[in-house]
Amino acid sequence: MAKNDLFVAIKNTVVRIRKTDGTEVWRTNLPRRTSQLVTLAVEPDGLYASSGGELYRLDPDTGSILWTNELPKLGRGTVLIAATPDTSEN
C-alpha cells in the first residue's frame, strides 16, 4: 500500500489520491446507495469501507471490491470501523 497516498471517502465513493500532487489514482463507487456517509479504516492487510449498513474490503492498489458483508439483521445505519492495534515489534 502506497504510503504517499490518501484515501478519501465521500458520497458512497472511495478515492485514492497522491499526496505529492493531488492526482487521482482510482475511484470506486460502493454499491449501497442508501447513505452518503462512508467510513474508512486503512490497515496493513487492506482498506475497509462502510456505507449504508454494509462493510467492504477494497484492494488498496486497484480499488476493486474484494468482499462485502451486508451485516444481516442490523439495519442500514452508520457503521463505524475500528481495528485491533498491531502490538508486534518491527
Side-chain angles (χ1 to χ4, degrees):
M1 194 171 337
K3 293 183 180 185
N4 290 321
D5 292 353
L6 295 172
F7 295 97
V8 178
I10 185 171
K11 294 185 180 178
N12 291 315
T13 304
V14 180
V15 183
R16 181 175 168 178
I17 305 280
R18 292 257 185 266
K19 286 182 184 179
T20 53
D21 62 8
T23 302
E24 184 175 307
V25 179
W26 54 253
R27 177 182 298 219
T28 299
N29 294 314
L30 302 176
R32 178 63 60 187
R33 299 276 181 207
T34 60
S35 172
Q36 290 193 16
L37 177 66
V38 179
T39 59
L40 293 176
V42 181
E43 292 294 309
D45 67 340
L47 176 64
Y48 299 86
S50 70
S51 178
E54 292 188 10
L55 181 64
Y56 304 89
R57 181 176 182 196
L58 304 177
D59 181 321
D61 295 322
T62 66
S64 299
I65 297 173
L66 302 174
W67 55 252
T68 302
N69 184 326
E70 295 181 0
L71 303 171
K73 300 182 183 179
L74 293 175
R76 295 289 172 209
T78 301
V79 177
L80 300 179
I81 304 171
T84 305
D86 182 6
T87 58
S88 64
E89 293 187 31
N90 295 329

